Amino acid sequence: MPLRFLYNILINLAWLVLKVVALFNAKIKLFVQGRKSTFPLLEEQLSQTDKTIWMHVASLGEFEQGLPILERLRSNYPEHKLVLSFFSPSGYEVKKDTPVADVVVYLPMDSSYKAKRFLSLVNPELAIFVKYEVWPNYLYHLKKRNTPTILVSAIFSERQIYFKSFGGFMRESLRKFDHYFVQDKKSKVLLESIGLNNSSIGGDTRLDRVSEILKRDNHLDFMDRFKNNQMCLVAGSTWPEDEKILINYMNNSNEKVKYVIAPHEIKPTHIDKIASALKKSVVRYSELGNQNLKEVDVLIIDTIGLLTKIYSYANIAYVGGGFATGLHNTMEPAVFGIPIIIGPQFEGFKEAEDLVNEGGIIPVSSQDSFDNLMGELLNKPISIKNIGDINSNYIISNRGAADLIMKYISSIL
């Protein structure tokens, strides 16, 4: 009880601090202001007679992990309303209009009062948390309500507080889940080391998600015209540290290669900086018009929503974030069976760790290592195919997490 009381004091203090910070920070302002609409939205769009299922995700990455389950819930339980909550503005603001859920809201801060009010309004028959989301008050009150609660696509590390001598309070919160669907055996062993034996190894639901990409129409007319049957390197979600290496290579390479850069930051000033640094012919997506793209060397994607389809045209992919900010999604290019190059910092990204070990993803740490790797790949087309096959086979062999989770859900709903 004392620890829970202290936790509630800290949560309320954190909320006060965030409201002050929101006066000076645009993202925190969204975080604070957005939560003002949560309870009114729930009161407006839900009634106490509704049958509901609630899924909570932190941000966009966890949304992608939860999406295969949401889609199956929509299909299998059409009489239920699906409530989706986000913690982060970077997830909510992008997906607040997603059709896969009936109600999309910010998750109120994890105070006891707000958790009780939220659960009273949503009244879920099932609660699903994705990956890392462990909120003590929500879990405490879900348990008091006897609401089945599961954690999906979870991955655990000995560095986490649950496995430390001082982590008793958070361990107790973790125990509130009825079942854990973990990504790997290591996570299952760690849970068992603290007496939690109710877990299943299901893998990452994102692999189910990316597998669906191959069933879609990935055709893009402008990419057909741009690629023109030449070798193509697609660099996705790049940051300045990535772009420096890519631009230096492009400026000094005589290889007949088409290049696509899809930066993480698409503000005009940043796009201008990339374009002006390139010595090759460049066009921006926003200025395509009727240009003869056959003669263009570099295409800069200054919009969002196209990268997945663009990866389908790549012979080699570069995924950004591995030099400074955190590695972006490597599974989207992997599903197309192409080699993937990343920066040196990939620890903690399980699929990247797996595929680096298997040889489908190749990390580089410097300009020289990137230049040398590109030379090796471009001069050995068979290597491109063999390395790419490692990635597509990994996706195929690790699918099925969503089906396992849905089988469990069908046994309790």
Side-chain angles (χ1 to χ4, degrees), residues 48-80:
Q48 287 301 298
T49 58
D50 286 329
K51 299 168 72 174
T52 65
I53 298 172
W54 169 40
M55 175 180 285
H56 174 63
V57 301
S59 193
L60 274 179
E62 292 76 18
F63 172 79
E64 290 296 325
Q65 289 177 307
L67 189 53
I69 303 167
L70 283 171
E71 290 172 338
R72 285 165 173 78
L73 288 170
R74 170 69 78 207
S75 175
N76 295 359
Y77 299 93
E79 72 281 6
H80 284 70

Side-chain angles (χ1 to χ4, degrees), residues 163-364:
F163 311 105
K164 304 293 186 182
S165 59
F166 52 83
F169 176 68
M170 291 303 295
R171 258 196 308 278
E172 192 57 36
S173 297
L174 192 64
R175 296 182 195 280
K176 300 294 191 294
F177 288 104
D178 293 284
H179 203 83
Y180 312 84
F181 291 91
V182 297
Q183 292 188 33
D184 56 15
K185 185 175 181 180
K186 178 183 176 182
S187 295
K188 183 177 176 64
V189 169
L190 280 168
L191 288 176
E192 290 172 350
S193 73
I194 57 172
L196 298 176
N197 300 307
N198 50 333
S199 65
S200 303
I201 302 173
D204 190 341
T205 48
R206 282 185 304 164
L207 301 185
D208 297 283
R209 172 67 176 156
V210 296
S211 295
E212 298 294 321
I213 291 171
L214 293 177
K215 301 176 184 178
R216 303 181 202 159
D217 178 8
N218 291 300
H219 172 259
L220 293 168
D221 179 65
F222 73 88
M223 281 302 299
D224 286 333
R225 292 187 286 123
F226 173 73
K227 183 173 180 179
N228 192 30
N229 296 314
Q230 294 188 53
M231 292 291 292
C232 182
L233 168 69
V234 175
S237 304
T238 59
W239 290 78
E241 295 84 356
D242 307 298
E243 290 150 11
K244 181 180 178 181
I245 286 175
L246 291 161
I247 290 169
N248 284 339
Y249 174 79
M250 293 177 200
N251 285 342
N252 293 291
S253 173
N254 295 317
E255 300 282 0
K256 289 189 175 298
V257 177
K258 293 279 193 164
Y259 303 99
V260 179
I261 304 178
H264 177 78
E265 175 59 73
I266 59 171
K267 289 181 179 177
T269 52
H270 185 64
I271 299 298
D272 288 343
K273 186 175 180 180
I274 295 173
S276 62
L278 285 161
K279 296 177 182 178
K280 296 186 181 291
S281 56
V282 183
V283 67
R284 306 166 201 220
Y285 174 79
S286 62
E287 299 175 353
L288 284 181
N290 294 315
Q291 291 194 42
N292 180 9
L293 296 180
K294 292 181 182 179
E295 305 303 321
V296 175
D297 297 311
V298 185
L299 172 59
I300 302 176
I301 307 300
D302 53 354
T303 188
I304 60 173
L306 293 174
L307 181 56
T308 301
K309 289 188 175 185
I310 292 172
Y311 276 136
S312 73
Y313 287 84
N315 299 99
I316 302 168
Y318 180 98
V319 176
F323 274 94
T325 59
L327 186 64
H328 286 270
N329 190 344
T330 54
M331 293 298 94
E332 287 186 353
V335 76
F336 294 111
I338 53 177
I340 299 168
I341 305 172
I342 62 173
Q345 299 172 27
F346 57 89
E347 184 179 354
F349 296 88
K350 181 184 181 298
E351 66 282 354
E353 291 178 348
D354 289 347
L355 283 171
V356 167
N357 289 333
E358 293 186 23
I361 292 179
I362 307 168
V364 294

Side-chain angles (χ1 to χ4, degrees), residues 117-134:
R117 186 179 177 192
F118 180 90
L119 293 174
S120 177
L121 289 170
V122 176
N123 194 27
E125 292 187 12
L126 169 69
I128 305 168
F129 290 67
V130 179
K131 198 172 183 177
Y132 294 131
E133 293 299 277
V134 178

Side-chain angles (χ1 to χ4, degrees), residues 77 126 148-150 177-181 200 402-413:
Y77 299 93
L126 169 69
T149 304
I150 61 176
F177 288 104
D178 293 284
H179 203 83
Y180 312 84
F181 291 91
S200 303
D403 291 337
L404 180 67
I405 293 164
M406 288 306 299
K407 184 178 180 180
Y408 176 86
I409 288 172
S410 68
S411 72
I412 59 175
L413 278 185

